[in-house]
Amino acid sequence: MNKFEQLGLSESLLKAILDLGFENPTEVQEKAIPLLLEKDTDMVALAQTGTGKTAAFGFPVIQKIDASNRNTQALILSPTRELCLQITNEIKNYSKYEKGINVVAVYGGASITDQARDIKRGAQIIVATPGRMQDMINRGLVNISQINYCILDEADEMLNMGFYEDIVNILSTTPDEKNTWLFSATMPAEVARIGKQFMTDPIEITVGAKNSGSATVSHEFYLVNARDRYEALKRLADANPDIFSVVFCRTKRDTQAVAEKLVEDGYSAAALHGDLSQAQRDGVMKSFRGRQIQMLVATDVAARGIDVDSITHVVNYQLPDEIETYNHRSGRTGRAGKLGTSIVIVTKSELRKISSIERIIKQKFEEKTIPSGIEICEIQLLHLANKIKDTEVDHEIDNYLPAINSVLEGLSKEELIKKMVSVEFNRFINYYKKTRDISNQASGSERRDRDDRDGAPRENNNGGATRYFVNIGSRDNFDWMSLKDYLKETLDLGRDDVFKVDVKEGFSFFNTDPEHTDKVMEVLNNVQLEGRRINVEISKNDGGGRRDHNGRSSGGSFGGGRSAAPRREGSFAPRREGSGGGFRSDRNSAPREGGFGPRREGGFSSDRPRTEGSSDRAPRRSESFGDSPRPRRPRRD
Ligand code: AMP
């Protein structure tokens, strides 16, 4: 008997669960489902998004309604159209083996008469946004006077968005004896008030600690000067070649401006905010889900309800005005059991906000330094090497081999490798050669007395630590903590002797003080990990610039002024208003040679899956090694 069977679910639901590939119930499912199936009760469940809460209320509601009765029996209220559609879709998937169950989504921006017609045909379950639901009630297009179940999903979000009155009005037209199930990530006073007003002795369940961030999300901040905010964002993206992220800005204007700049600089980015039409937003979300967009730059309101499971990073380009909102932002990553990172780019004047957020999320931030140009180059170079290694060869190429061979005749293997890598890499290294170090440190009175999670003894860095590159990484199941433990154990070093551990997919970086360098080189280069030789080398920088006695950065290995990043082609961004509202596939006058600059389409650096449709132009020379095509122009609705 699997764990879902023990929850008391029907055969048809178990069959659907099998199809969905869910192996075990999540915590909220395990806690909520048996209670909701057994009893007719009200419930308050404190659970973040991504915890599996849709199924936690979806399975019981499907099992409890009477499919032979076509009246509306359950109403699910959700804050946004996106979430409303996702819930509808999930409920349809869950109920696919139930006969006669109809689910209808009711939301703004679509035809109200079509929705009314679908309801009239008989919808036992309605999933609705509060505004449109209120509208339909006012026009007499829906009857919820006989419902048995009312579910408020993401109640705190709905109230944040100003739906208090709508919710109260909607609930007032439902029968008193129904059951209400309220799901919320946090419990602000307004949500508690709704609970008090409309629920009777609700059972309370909590997943994880109340108000705490998800355990699967780690939190980092990078201290920079305000003028370096955008440069910091680009470097963070360059240091994480596989980034798939939501970048939060405070205003629609900033959101649009940052997205446009990223696109200009060749990143696969797009903006999501309230000034876009619904069709534009749908197009952006479709491209994001399809991984054609790696950096979705969004406002808080527009990003509500984004339900994409594999987001690797949430980037707080600017912190929100209300620090409670941070929780919602960071909850977009670390979903469905995956690990995620929430990054804050912060200036000195905002530092105290970090402490306030730590109190709310009950988790510590790790202070990190923006990678220097040389470190980014190392990361990208290794990423490129791995990409070449992992690229599957299309044997169509065999036909051209004789001609290629005759061109490359006479080159040794080593020369050939160097040249191949240089084709992609020269422009990248040239760009970063010219950039200065932008990392900043909390120092003097501004430096907070913080628990430094990677154990970096900041003061010891004055003489310059040794930075190492090692050929093991997350592929070998290490994260920074486990790698640090492994290195300390293997090298027989003390608690703070290994620091600035930075784990990438196929390789990692770490620091020690110079006195340990000989030992590290000697011991690690003679160790095997599961039959594979470990290779450690001294990296050319110390992991973010050296610091003077105030802990300030004194510049990285590359000097020189700033220069604009070389542009890449083929990115998408919604146009500004008045320009037709579509996307542009941005070809610009950037240097065409060598596709490996910052950054990205068609180069080595993206793992996007191939999408349907054919390219509107032939691949450039620089795309020849990569396995990922440029993003296609998304279809307009
Ligand atoms: P939710 O919190 O409802 O938005 O769910 C987050 C994601 O987890 C959705 O994509 C669900 O399909 C998925 N999910 C829900 N329950 C499970 C489960 N028991 N096992 C694996 N994935 C699940």
Side-chain angles (χ1 to χ4, degrees):
M1 200 189 224
N2 78 19
K3 276 197 155 181
F4 276 113
E5 288 167 28
Q6 291 166 5
L7 301 181
L9 293 168
S10 68
E11 282 304 319
S12 47
L13 278 169
L14 291 173
K15 219 167 137 198
I17 290 168
L18 203 65
D19 287 356
L20 286 161
F22 295 177
E23 284 171 10
N24 286 306
T26 64
E27 190 186 348
V28 68
Q29 291 162 6
E30 211 157 20
K31 285 184 172 167
I33 293 170
L35 288 170
L36 295 177
L37 287 178
E38 263 167 39
K39 297 186 185 171
D40 287 327
T41 179
D42 287 348
M43 174 177 277
V44 171
L46 282 167
Q48 301 263 342
T49 54
T51 51
K53 59 188 171 51
T54 313
F57 62 73
F59 293 160
V61 96
I62 291 166
Q63 190 154 325
K64 289 184 110 168
I65 60 172
D66 176 3
S68 62
N69 175 350
R70 295 179 84 79
N71 288 341
T72 299
Q73 297 162 52
L75 170 67
I76 302 169
L77 288 177
S78 83
T80 62
R81 167 197 156 113
E82 280 77 19
L83 195 59
C84 169
L85 287 167
Q86 277 153 20
I87 295 171
T88 308
N89 198 33
E90 295 256 319
I91 302 268
K92 280 184 180 161
N93 283 336
Y94 303 158
S95 60
K96 69 184 203 188
Y97 295 114
E98 307 280 344
K99 284 214 171 69
I101 290 194
N102 290 317
V103 194
V104 171
V106 164
Y107 50 89
S111 157
I112 199 166
T113 33
D114 287 355
Q115 290 170 356
R117 191 194 53 225
D118 290 345
I119 290 172
K120 226 173 165 190
R121 283 189 191 139
Q124 292 95 343
I125 303 175
I126 292 177
V127 188
T129 52
R132 174 54 67 94
M133 191 63 198
Q134 179 65 55
D135 202 3
M136 292 195 98
I137 293 171
N138 291 345
R139 296 196 205 184
L141 297 173
V142 62
N143 177 4
I144 50 169
S145 63
Q146 316 224 352
I147 61 169
N148 301 321
Y149 306 100
C150 181
I151 295 143
L152 306 174
D153 192 25
E154 302 213 354
D156 50 353
E157 285 280 11
M158 286 198 282
L159 296 173
N160 258 340
M161 292 174 76
F163 284 132
Y164 181 83
E165 260 182 41
D166 284 329
I167 292 172
V168 168
N169 286 339
I170 292 166
L171 289 178
S172 308
T173 65
T174 59
D176 286 343
E177 57 279 9
K178 70 181 180 306
N179 289 144
T180 304
W181 305 340
L182 183 152
F183 285 74
S184 193
T186 57
M187 189 48 70
E190 265 191 328
V191 177
R193 189 141 46 103
I194 292 256
K196 242 185 168 164
Q197 203 177 339
F198 291 98
M199 297 170 89
T200 320
D201 296 331
I203 300 176
E204 199 178 302
I205 62 167
T206 303
V207 180
K210 262 186 203 178
N211 286 352
S212 85
S214 156
T216 50
V217 181
S218 55
H219 303 263
E220 300 174 348
F221 77 85
Y222 293 80
L223 184 60
V224 297
N225 292 319
R227 69 191 162 119
D228 289 329
R229 218 184 265 280
Y230 177 70
E231 180 66 23
L233 174 65
K234 284 200 311 181
R235 289 203 187 185
L236 290 169
D238 288 338
N240 293 282
D242 294 324
I243 196 167
F244 180 51
S245 61
V246 183
V247 178
F248 284 97
C249 293
R250 242 190 319 245
T251 64
K252 289 185 244 184
R253 244 177 74 180
D254 289 347
T255 303
Q256 182 71 32
V258 169
E260 283 189 4
K261 250 176 147 290
L262 285 171
V263 171
E264 259 177 42
D265 287 340
Y267 295 82
S268 50
L272 188 73
H273 55 70
D275 282 353
L276 303 179
S277 69
Q278 191 61 53
Q280 283 177 314
R281 271 187 281 169
D282 288 348
V284 169
M285 279 313 296
K286 197 170 165 208
S287 302
F288 187 56
R289 282 203 188 89
R291 299 270 192 140
Q292 291 157 316
I293 289 166
Q294 276 186 291
M295 298 170 85
L296 181 68
V297 190
T299 57
D300 287 295
V301 173
R304 278 183 184 135
I306 289 182
D307 186 16
V308 178
D309 283 342
S310 45
I311 290 168
T312 60
H313 294 76
V314 162
V315 182
N316 292 265
Y317 184 77
Q318 295 151 332
L319 277 172
D321 289 329
E322 302 285 331
I323 50 174
E324 287 76 13
T325 305
Y326 178 86
N327 233 349
H328 293 297
R329 291 183 173 187
S330 60
R332 301 290 157 218
T333 185
R335 295 162 65 87
K338 296 200 177 87
L339 295 179
T341 307
S342 176
I343 287 175
V344 181
I345 301 175
V346 75
T347 60
K348 270 182 191 145
S349 62
E350 299 166 321
L351 257 186
R352 63 196 158 72
K353 280 194 173 179
I354 295 284
S355 311
S356 313
I357 293 171
E358 282 178 338
R359 279 195 291 279
I360 289 180
I361 61 174
K362 296 197 171 61
Q363 264 177 281
K364 285 273 178 217
F365 273 80
E366 186 187 355
E367 180 179 353
K368 298 195 100 176
T369 44
I370 298 289
S372 65
I374 198 161
E375 194 169 13
I376 290 172
C377 288
E378 281 173 345
I379 291 169
Q380 290 279 1
L381 198 48
L382 263 298
H383 186 75
L384 170 60
N386 277 313
K387 199 91 188 171
I388 292 175
K389 195 172 129 211
D390 295 343
T391 295
E392 276 184 33
V393 173
D394 181 336
H395 287 287
E396 278 282 300
I397 210 163
D398 293 352
N399 299 329
Y400 306 97
L401 272 186
I404 295 168
N405 277 337
S406 78
V407 173
L408 301 176
E409 210 172 42
L411 292 177
S412 69
K413 179 183 167 194
E414 193 163 306
E415 280 171 324
L416 194 58
I417 290 174
K418 278 190 198 162
K419 279 178 185 285
M420 274 171 58
V421 170
S422 299
V423 166
E424 288 294 320
F425 202 62
N426 277 355
R427 197 164 55 114
F428 198 88
I429 212 160
N430 283 338
Y431 169 68
Y432 271 115
K433 229 188 259 179
K434 291 189 220 123
T435 59
R436 66 196 161 82
D437 196 339
I438 60 165
S439 64
N440 207 341
Q441 292 297 131
S443 65
S445 59
E446 290 137 352
R447 185 193 285 163
R448 296 161 338 119
D449 183 19
R450 60 178 31 262
D451 169 19
D452 186 355
R453 279 178 46 205
D454 78 356
R458 306 276 178 215
E459 290 73 24
N460 289 352
N461 260 6
N462 295 340
T466 308
R467 183 100 171 131
Y468 306 86
F469 158 86
V470 62
N471 66 335
I472 50 180
S474 57
R475 262 193 201 167
D476 308 289
N477 290 326
F478 284 113
D479 59 17
W480 70 267
M481 265 185 292
S482 56
L483 182 61
K484 183 175 174 176
D485 287 342
Y486 172 79
L487 292 169
K488 275 186 322 195
E489 249 172 56
T490 312
L491 297 163
D492 194 21
L493 288 174
R495 206 174 74 87
D496 289 337
D497 291 338
V498 178
F499 49 96
K500 289 197 176 212
V501 180
D502 208 353
V503 175
K504 306 291 170 196
E505 195 185 351
F507 55 93
S508 307
F509 295 96
F510 65 96
N511 284 17
T512 72
D513 282 336
E515 70 203 68
H516 303 302
T517 305
D518 290 346
K519 186 178 188 180
V520 171
M521 298 302 286
E522 162 111 29
V523 175
L524 272 193
N525 276 321
N526 287 298
V527 168
Q528 294 206 345
L529 183 74
E530 291 173 2
R532 189 156 65 88
R533 264 185 99 91
I534 291 187
N535 172 36
V536 64
E537 286 164 25
I538 294 177
S539 169
K540 285 203 186 72
N541 74 338
D542 72 353
R546 294 172 184 171
R547 276 167 235 129
D548 63 25
H549 288 276
N550 291 324
R552 282 179 192 283
S553 167
S554 61
S557 314
F558 291 132
R562 296 162 89 195
S563 74
R567 292 171 169 195
R568 300 295 311 275
E569 57 183 278
S571 300
F572 295 111
R575 288 188 185 169
R576 280 190 192 282
E577 267 203 317
S579 62
F583 293 90
R584 66 192 152 117
S585 178
D586 189 7
R587 296 196 77 166
N588 53 41
S589 56
R592 296 285 184 220
E593 297 306 306
F596 196 77
R599 151 128 144 254
R600 152 156 297 131
E601 276 54 63
F604 291 93
S605 48
S606 164
D607 283 324
R608 279 187 311 278
R610 218 167 258 282
T611 49
E612 279 176 38
S614 61
S615 172
D616 51 354
R617 59 203 149 88
R620 290 181 302 137
R621 183 151 65 89
S622 58
E623 289 161 345
S624 53
F625 303 124
D627 62 1
S628 44
R630 289 179 304 285
R632 309 287 184 250
R633 187 187 292 274
R635 257 190 306 126
R636 299 265 302 282
D637 283 352

